[in-house]
Amino acid sequence: MFLNEFIEFCQIYSIIGEVKGVAHVSNKKKLKEKHKLKMEENKQEASLVRKIVLIFFMSIIVIGIIAVFVGYRYIIGSIGPVDENDENVIEVTIPIGSNTSTIADVLEEAGVINSATVFTYYVRFQNESGFQAGEYHLTRSMSMEEIIDQLKEGRVFEDYAISFTIPEGLWVEDVFERVASETDLEQDELLTLARDEDYLNELIENYDFLDESILDEAIREPLEGYLFPARYDFVNEELEPEEVIEAMLDRTSSVLASLPIENMDDTFHELMTKASIIEGEAITDEERTTISGVIENRLQAGMPLQMDPTIAYAHGEHLSRTLYEHLDIESPYNTYNVTGLMPGPINNPGEASISAALSPESHNYLYFYHSPEGDIYFNENLSEHEAIVSQYRD
C-alpha cells in the first residue's frame, strides 16, 4: 500500500517536472520570438530614419538649386531691359554730386531699371565709374549696360544746343509761340502740322493715349492737353516740327505710364480734359484734389461745371476776370451753358493736375471760390457759396 502510493507520487512528480520543462522551453521560445520582433522593429525604424534624413538633405539640395536658379533669373532679368518693346523716351535727371546709390534710386523711380539694388551691385562688380550729372533720354528697352554707357558718355546740362521750358497751363498757341522764340521754327508751321489730319492720324496710331476724340470738329486744337509742360533739351541746333511735337507727346506718355491709370473709369481724353480744368482753376497743389472732387460731384449731379477758365478758352483770349457778359458766348466750351465736359482740354496740364484728376477727393462740395488774396473756400450749397462771394464783392 505504502509502496504503491510512493510510486504514484514519483510518477506525478515526474509529470510535473516534464510540464515545467515544456513550459520553460515554451517561454524561452517566446522570448526569442519577441527579441526577433524587436530587432525587426529597430531595423524598420532605422530604415525610416535614414529615408527621412535622405529626403531632408535632398530637399535642401533641391531648394538650393531652385534658389540659385531663381536668383540667377532675377539678376539676369534685372540687368536686361525693363520692357524691350517700349521705345518711349523717358527723361531722367541725375543731380550733381549723386553717388551710385542715388543714381540707382533715380533710375528705378523713372522705371528704366528693374532694381536699384542690383544696379548698385552690378556697378561695383564691373568697377564702373565716371557717371556724369545731367539730363538723359533713356528708354525701358535699354539694358543696364547700355544705361551705364549713357551715364558715362552723356552730356551735362550746358552741352545742349537748344533748351526751353514750357510752363503748366499754356494753350497750344502759347506753347508753340514759346518754342518759336527759342528755336528756328515758326509758330505757324508748328500749328499747321498740329492741325494736319493725316499727321494726327499717324499720332493716333503711335500713341495709345490719343484717339479719334481729338479729331472732333468741335475741338479748337486737336493736341490741346497733350503737349506736356516741362524742360526740353535738344542736341541738334536744327529741329523739325515733328521732333518737337513728338518729344512733348513722349513726355506725356512717360508721365501717364508712371500714374495709376490701370483702373480709371475715364478715357484718356476725359482725364486730360478734367486735368486741364484743374490746372486752370488751382493755385496750389494742395487744393487740386479737392477741386477735382467738385468736378466729379457736379458731373454726377448733372450740374453745369461753371468753370471760369473754360469761358476764356471759349472766347479765345486770356481774361483777367470773368464777367457776366462773357457768359453769353455760344460755344461747346462754355461750361455755364453746357452740361458735362467740354469737347476737350482747355490747356496743357502738368503732372499734379493729371494726378488729381485721377484721384479726386471724396467730399460733398459743389462750389468753391478764390478770394482776391488767393484763399480758396469750398461749400456744399449755393447759399453758403454766395455768402462767401458777397463778402469780397460788396
Side-chain angles (χ1 to χ4, degrees):
M1 183 84 174
F2 177 79
L3 182 60
N4 290 335
E5 289 178 354
F6 179 77
I7 293 170
E8 185 177 351
F9 173 78
C10 289
Q11 289 175 343
I12 292 171
Y13 184 81
S14 176
I15 291 169
I16 291 172
E18 290 176 1
V19 169
K20 284 184 177 181
V22 170
H24 178 73
V25 171
S26 176
N27 287 337
K28 190 173 182 181
K29 186 177 181 181
K30 287 181 179 179
L31 286 172
K32 289 180 70 175
E33 290 177 352
K34 187 175 182 181
H35 179 71
K36 186 177 180 180
L37 287 173
K38 186 67 175 176
M39 291 293 290
E40 288 294 329
E41 289 177 358
N42 289 342
K43 287 182 180 180
Q44 290 177 0
E45 288 177 0
S47 177
L48 180 60
V49 169
R50 283 194 296 271
K51 288 181 180 178
I52 291 173
V53 171
L54 180 63
I55 292 171
F56 175 74
F57 281 109
M58 289 297 294
S59 298
I60 291 177
I61 292 172
V62 171
I63 291 172
I65 292 172
I66 292 173
V68 170
F69 177 75
V70 171
Y72 173 78
R73 294 285 297 175
Y74 173 74
I75 293 172
I76 293 300
S78 297
I79 294 174
V82 174
D83 183 352
E84 61 183 11
N85 297 317
D86 187 352
E87 298 290 343
N88 289 322
V89 174
I90 299 173
E91 185 174 289
V92 178
T93 302
I94 305 299
I96 295 174
S98 298
N99 57 29
T100 301
S101 297
T102 303
I103 293 172
D105 291 337
V106 170
L107 295 175
E108 183 180 38
E109 186 176 348
V112 295
I113 62 172
N114 289 298
S115 170
T117 301
V118 172
F119 178 88
T120 302
Y121 281 110
Y122 183 81
V123 167
R124 291 176 183 172
F125 179 76
Q126 297 290 343
N127 197 27
E128 298 285 4
S129 61
F131 299 141
Q132 299 183 42
E135 288 191 3
Y136 296 87
H137 293 165
L138 307 176
T139 71
R140 288 158 55 88
S141 63
M142 297 173 68
S143 68
M144 193 173 288
E145 188 174 341
E146 290 173 328
I147 291 173
I148 289 172
D149 289 340
Q150 285 276 341
L151 296 176
K152 291 167 65 177
E153 300 175 5
R155 295 170 175 267
V156 294
F157 295 113
E158 294 77 10
D159 287 339
Y160 293 111
I162 296 174
S163 295
F164 56 81
T165 299
I166 305 300
E168 292 88 348
L170 293 187
W171 296 353
V172 163
E173 299 98 312
D174 299 326
V175 170
F176 290 152
E177 182 180 14
R178 181 70 64 96
V179 173
S181 68
E182 300 291 342
T183 68
D184 291 333
L185 298 173
E186 297 292 334
Q187 181 189 30
D188 287 343
E189 66 176 323
L190 287 162
L191 283 171
T192 299
L193 180 63
R195 295 167 180 169
D196 183 86
E197 188 169 344
D198 291 336
Y199 180 60
L200 291 171
N201 279 311
E202 289 180 19
L203 295 178
I204 291 171
E205 289 290 325
N206 294 330
Y207 294 93
D208 57 5
F209 56 85
L210 296 177
D211 60 33
E212 300 293 331
S213 301
I214 67 171
L215 301 178
D216 189 327
E217 292 183 357
I219 288 181
R220 196 175 84 193
E221 293 294 343
L223 294 181
E224 192 79 80
Y226 298 100
L227 304 179
F228 194 77
R231 173 187 167 119
Y232 290 92
D233 303 293
F234 298 91
V235 175
N236 299 323
E237 293 184 2
E238 296 184 2
L239 296 177
E240 296 295 329
E242 293 88 348
E243 189 175 356
V244 172
I245 291 174
E246 289 166 29
M248 294 180 177
L249 295 176
D250 287 341
R251 192 73 60 85
T252 299
S253 179
S254 297
V255 170
L256 290 175
S258 70
L259 297 175
I261 59 176
E262 297 82 9
N263 300 318
M264 71 174 183
D265 296 325
D266 294 326
T267 65
F268 283 116
H269 195 67
E270 291 168 339
L271 174 68
M272 302 306 279
T273 300
K274 292 177 181 179
S276 71
I277 299 174
I278 298 168
E279 191 65 64
E281 288 284 6
I283 295 177
T284 66
D285 285 346
E286 290 75 16
E287 64 193 41
R288 293 181 196 275
T289 55
T290 314
I291 292 175
S292 181
V294 173
I295 293 172
E296 293 300 325
N297 289 344
R298 281 183 163 262
L299 290 173
Q300 291 176 15
M303 299 172 61
L305 291 178
Q306 297 182 329
M307 300 290 173
D308 288 356
T310 67
I311 302 302
Y313 196 79
H315 281 273
E317 59 179 303
H318 298 288
L319 304 174
S320 58
R321 183 179 177 185
T322 303
L323 305 175
Y324 287 114
E325 62 191 59
H326 295 136
L327 305 183
D328 294 331
I329 185 171
E330 290 291 331
S331 169
Y333 288 96
N334 183 350
T335 56
Y336 278 81
N337 294 337
V338 177
T339 302
L341 287 174
M342 316 83 72
I346 56 171
N347 58 49
N348 292 279
E351 183 173 355
S353 291
I354 300 172
S355 182
L358 269 174
S359 304
E361 182 181 314
S362 179
H363 54 62
N364 295 319
Y365 299 135
L366 290 170
Y367 303 90
F368 65 90
Y369 173 72
H370 276 113
S371 72
E373 291 79 15
D375 298 321
I376 189 168
Y377 298 90
F378 293 94
N379 296 106
E380 297 182 8
N381 57 67
L382 181 59
S383 60
E384 292 177 355
H385 172 68
E386 290 179 337
I388 292 292
V389 174
S390 65
Q391 292 179 19
Y392 290 94
R393 290 188 176 174
D394 292 345

